[in-house]
Amino acid sequence: MASKSLCFLLLSVLVAYYIYKPLPENIEEKWKVMLMDATFRSLGHLGTLAEMFGMKHYMDVMMLLTYAEGTEPTSNDQVIVTDTSFSNVPVRVYIPKGHSTSLRRAIIYIHGGGWCLGSASMQPYDQLSRQSAHQLNAVIVSVNYRLAPKFHFPIQFDDVYNLVTFCLQEKFLEKYSVDPNRIAVSGDSAGGNLAAAVSQMLLHDPQVKVKLKIQLLIYPALQAFDLSTPSYKDNAYMPILSKTLMIRFWSEYFTTDRSLFEAMMSNKHIPSQDAHLLKYANWSTLLPEQLKKNHVYNMPANQNTFFVKKYPGLLDVRASPLLAEDEKLIGLPLTYVITCMYDVLRDDGFMYVSRLRKAGVHVVHEHYDSVFHGILLMNSWPFDFSIAHRIVDKYLNWLDNNL
Ligand SMILES: *[C@@H]1O[C@H](CO)[C@@H](O)[C@H](O)[C@H]1NC(C)=O
């Protein structure tokens, strides 16, 4: 009996130890955050094990969460939901059942998941799209681009670009009664990366006549150049996106070869000969003082050109839109950026805001100082955070007034 109790006690301590994680003071609903983080971490450990034994690719295991959260395209009395494809790119479309006879607004939504995971059908994305369609009386096209590790850069970008240009054509606009002057592109995390890259490309594409009114970048990843910014350092172990996982995502975007991952982890993938590009991602000049703290800025000191030669995507603005020249940013649409304090990607967002403003782009920057990466998706059971609803309400309100 005593030994049973002892076992139980030991087990409880172990479980508590596994779940417990010291979190910043101002994070709300801490225990829920810890439980959620422990769930993600467990899946990650399972992925690492499966990979170690040669059973599955790490991302195949992580993908279980995407499947587990999958939903059917079910319509209700507010929104008609269909899975279909446009220009050979699979999409989930949400059409509001409004009785208005005027033209509607439209949002093309690009989900996150590090170019490796996620789907428009995941419960949190499905919910956000339904809510957007209903509240804004807008057509939402949520895109299922192809994912790594099966497909690498620039396939993800190309899929999204094809889809967006398809949606900007007259044929599509007429069929769905969309107002060509009121179209936005929005995305979170890797989706924010694709949204930013697509917006830049559209600006200089003579084939595209209809222009975007707004780009919404929700805690976007914007550069694979410097993976040692203050936010990568300060938030390396924050829920739910660790530095290791983000770098794994970046490296998988380009290749499944693990040597790129190793080089990126030590921030030695960019040779000093490409340092001229660093001014576009120089956190020491682009970040506000309070985020720099006592971090010291270092130039790349490595001479290894192997990775940029083998994976030219590393220097490509379609992967790292923050590396675009100043002139390429001029004329970008009205921009809404969300950043989170406890997020490795925080500084990417801040640097882009600062560069866009210098280029004369109108930017609305919502920085949340008590949240972590992925918060917008924490909108449904069992990981439903009240702050997530406040952020979504603000986002939809802003869209309602500006799109
Ligand atoms: C980055 O900014 C710092 C000044 O804050 C400067 O010393 C450094 O040379 C800059 N690096 C590049 C590559 O522009």
Side-chain angles (χ1 to χ4, degrees), residues 275-280 282-285 292 297 299-300:
H276 60 284
L277 285 172
L278 258 182
K279 63 175 180 291
Y280 300 131
N282 188 344
W283 61 260
S284 138
T285 56
K292 292 189 209 169
Y297 181 82
M299 298 276 279

Side-chain angles (χ1 to χ4, degrees), residues 24 38 47 81 208 252 303-304 342 347:
V81 185
V208 183
E252 293 288 343
Q303 306 300 325
N304 186 354
Y342 306 117
D347 296 348

